């Protein structure tokens, strides 16, 4: 089932999400819905707070469903290692129509549980490393806007506020 994606300004996007403790049917439905919603958007990643669920769950698929085996569903993800630096353009399904260059580590190692509750370790560079950091940021209540420096961030936020005021957000 498709879920609606909340946008910048929603409280859910600013709160740290809770760790998942039970791997029940509700969790499996949430993950299936998030995958469907991500592909429909379309997007390469989606975190549970973006569909209004304050739990540490995110899905990533850089191929947006076009290549098998690239889909990741991660629960309670944590960084084990982070190094290097990459500067790339980044956007977010909760901040539609806006993007900015964000500096992030270029390589990460993440430990997470898969949807069956099995521990998985993922080493990633480039775009996948960026996607993992973007989604884990969501689980900590952070948006890519929060990673921008003062003026760049202020300009984007002012433009979004204007859209909000005029009912176009
Ligand atoms: Zn996002």
């Amino acid at each position: 089932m498709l879920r609606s994606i909340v946008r910048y300004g929603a409280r859910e996007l600013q709160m740290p999400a809770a760790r998942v403790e039970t791997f029940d049917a509700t969790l499996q439905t949430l993950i299936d819905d998030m995958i469907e919603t991500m592909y429909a958007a379309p997007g390469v990643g989606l975190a549970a707070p973006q569909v209004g669920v304050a739990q540490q769950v995110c899905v990533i698929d850089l191929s947006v469903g076009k290549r098998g085996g690239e889909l990741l569903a991660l629960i309670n993800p944590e960084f084990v290692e982070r190094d290097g630096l990459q500067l790339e353009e980044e956007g977010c399904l909760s901040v539609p129509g806006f993007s900015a260059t964000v500096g992030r580590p270029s390589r990460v190692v993440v430990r997470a549980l898969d949807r069956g509750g099995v521990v998985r370790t993922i080493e990633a560079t480039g775009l996948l490393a960026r996607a993992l950091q973007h989604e884990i940021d969501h689980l900590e209540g952070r948006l890519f806007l929060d990673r921008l420096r003062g003026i760049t961030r202020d300009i984007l936020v002012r433009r979004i506020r204007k859209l909000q005021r005029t009912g176009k957000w």
Side-chain angles (χ1 to χ4, degrees):
M1 195 183 76
L2 283 179
R3 303 212 185 187
S4 46
I5 298 174
V6 298
R7 295 185 171 194
Y8 172 85
R11 238 176 47 108
E12 296 97 317
L13 295 175
Q14 295 160 22
M15 302 182 323
R19 287 175 70 83
V20 172
E21 306 290 350
T22 35
F23 288 72
D24 55 8
T26 308
L27 176 71
Q28 302 303 327
T29 304
L30 171 68
I31 294 170
D32 288 336
D33 288 354
M34 285 174 60
I35 294 166
E36 196 181 334
T37 305
M38 169 176 70
Y39 288 163
V44 297
L46 189 68
Q50 292 183 276
V51 293
V53 178
Q55 291 195 5
Q56 292 184 21
V57 180
C58 64
V59 294
I60 294 173
D61 186 345
L62 297 185
S63 83
V64 200
K66 291 192 181 72
R67 291 187 295 271
E70 291 199 19
L71 174 66
L72 292 172
L74 304 178
I75 293 139
N76 304 340
E78 292 171 359
F79 293 109
V80 182
E81 289 173 36
R82 267 181 283 193
D83 48 62
L85 174 69
Q86 55 171 325
L87 279 163
E88 296 293 339
E89 191 86 356
E90 195 167 319
C92 177
L93 292 174
S94 293
V95 194
F98 293 88
S99 61
T101 302
V102 183
R104 293 188 184 273
S106 53
R107 177 185 164 274
V108 298
V109 177
V110 170
R111 190 179 297 134
L113 300 174
D114 66 16
R115 62 188 300 166
V118 177
V119 179
R120 303 227 357 221
T121 302
I122 299 137
E123 183 177 358
T125 56
L127 185 56
L128 183 56
R130 171 171 297 277
L132 285 162
Q133 293 172 79
H134 180 108
E135 300 313 327
I136 293 172
D137 267 358
H138 274 303
L139 303 182
E140 292 169 355
R142 232 182 344 250
L143 293 172
F144 79 91
L145 295 172
D146 301 317
R147 297 263 177 212
L148 303 175
R149 281 176 218 262
I151 290 177
T152 317
R153 183 177 190 281
D154 290 349
I155 291 170
L156 286 185
V157 168
R158 221 174 295 143
R159 285 168 57 197
I160 294 168
R161 292 239 170 89
K162 197 176 166 192
L163 291 174
Q164 288 171 329
R165 275 200 306 277
T166 53
K168 291 174 186 147
W169 188 245

